[in-house]
Structures are given as C-alpha cells and as structure tokens.
Amino acid sequence: MPKGDAEIAAIATVVALALRGGCGIYESLTHALAGACGSVANSLDKAVKLLELGLPLVQALRVFETECDSPAAKEFSLKIQTANNFGASLADQLDDLAQTIRSQLAIAELSSATAAETKMLLPLVFLILPVTVLFALYPSLQILNIQLEGTL
C-alpha cells in the first residue's frame, strides 16, 4: 500500500466529522487540512486553493488525483464527486473509505510482520539451537571419552 493511504484515511475521517457537524464540502476540506501535513495534504491543499480561485470541484479533484496518483486518492475524489452530483451521504461514504484503507493497511502490516517472524527463526534454528545441543552433550562426551581411555 502506498505511504499516503493512511494520510488519506485520516483526512477522510476529519472531513466526515466536519460534514456531520454541519459544514459544507469546502469548509470540511479546509477544516481537515488545517491540522494535516504530508504530501497528500499538500496536494489536497492545492485543489482547495484552486476551488477558491473558482475552478469547478470536479477539475480541482482531478488535479488532486493526478498529484497523488494512488487508488485511495482516486476513490476519495470519486466519493466526493458522486456525493456532489447525486446527493449521496458523503460522511458515510468517507467513513467507509477510511475503514477500508485502515483494514488494508492492517493486512499489509500483518503480512510483513509474518515475514519478519520467519526471518527471526533462522538464527534460532541454525545458531542458538546447535550451540545449546553442544553445551548439553559436551559433558557427556567428555565422560565417555575418559571412560573409553581408561578401558583401553
């Protein structure tokens, strides 16, 4: 997953909360960007500034999509456009988007943790375990060696 997806999830959550609080799309976006930092926030800030200059919402969001170039950014933009065109509940859609992104990030982290766990087993199996077996067997081998020398 791209690095900015977690940032998109956080921005989507703040925008959804602002929308539920009674703000419009523009106010919600500016409210979310007030505390955000990062590449996604910078790209979205450019789109909001283009909205201030009078560019239509669809074109401003296309600028955001091209700068971010991630599937999550495209979905974020598409959900805003769909809600604007068809009157769907944007807050619910953004909450679902944020939950989806967070679950995808959790799955990616879990798979990388599983790979790291397997790599951590290699020193245990090939280094620590053989040394432990040698420490356990060495006294017995010494006693056998002494007894064999005494019988010969």
Side-chain angles (χ1 to χ4, degrees):
M1 295 230 39
K3 195 175 186 181
D5 284 357
E7 192 178 346
I8 291 173
I11 290 172
T13 302
V14 174
V15 170
L17 288 172
L19 286 169
R20 284 201 174 93
C23 296
I25 292 174
Y26 173 75
E27 291 87 11
S28 300
L29 288 172
T30 55
H31 202 339
L33 292 173
C37 60
S39 61
V40 174
N42 292 338
S43 300
L44 193 57
D45 190 39
K46 287 179 186 175
V48 169
K49 286 182 181 174
L50 290 173
L51 280 174
E52 289 175 359
L53 294 174
L55 197 67
L57 180 66
V58 174
Q59 291 177 355
L61 289 174
R62 281 196 190 124
V63 170
F64 167 68
E65 286 178 25
T66 56
E67 285 195 16
C68 284
D69 196 32
S70 77
K74 291 180 188 208
E75 190 172 349
F76 178 78
S77 173
L78 182 66
K79 289 197 182 292
I80 292 175
Q81 291 174 24
T82 303
N84 191 35
N85 291 339
F86 299 115
S89 173
L90 180 58
D92 293 336
Q93 290 184 10
L94 290 178
D95 281 337
D96 292 342
L97 173 66
Q99 183 63 33
T100 302
I101 291 172
R102 286 188 184 106
S103 64
Q104 289 173 349
L105 288 172
I107 289 169
E109 286 180 18
L110 186 62
S111 65
S112 68
T114 304
E117 183 180 75
T118 305
K119 288 178 186 174
M120 286 188 288
L121 281 174
L122 293 175
L124 176 72
V125 170
F126 293 111
L127 183 67
I128 297 171
L129 188 61
V131 169
T132 306
V133 170
L134 285 176
F135 274 118
L137 293 178
Y138 185 73
S140 299
L141 292 175
Q142 283 295 90
I143 292 172
L144 282 174
N145 193 18
I146 291 172
Q147 288 179 353
L148 285 176
E149 285 178 4
T151 58
L152 293 175

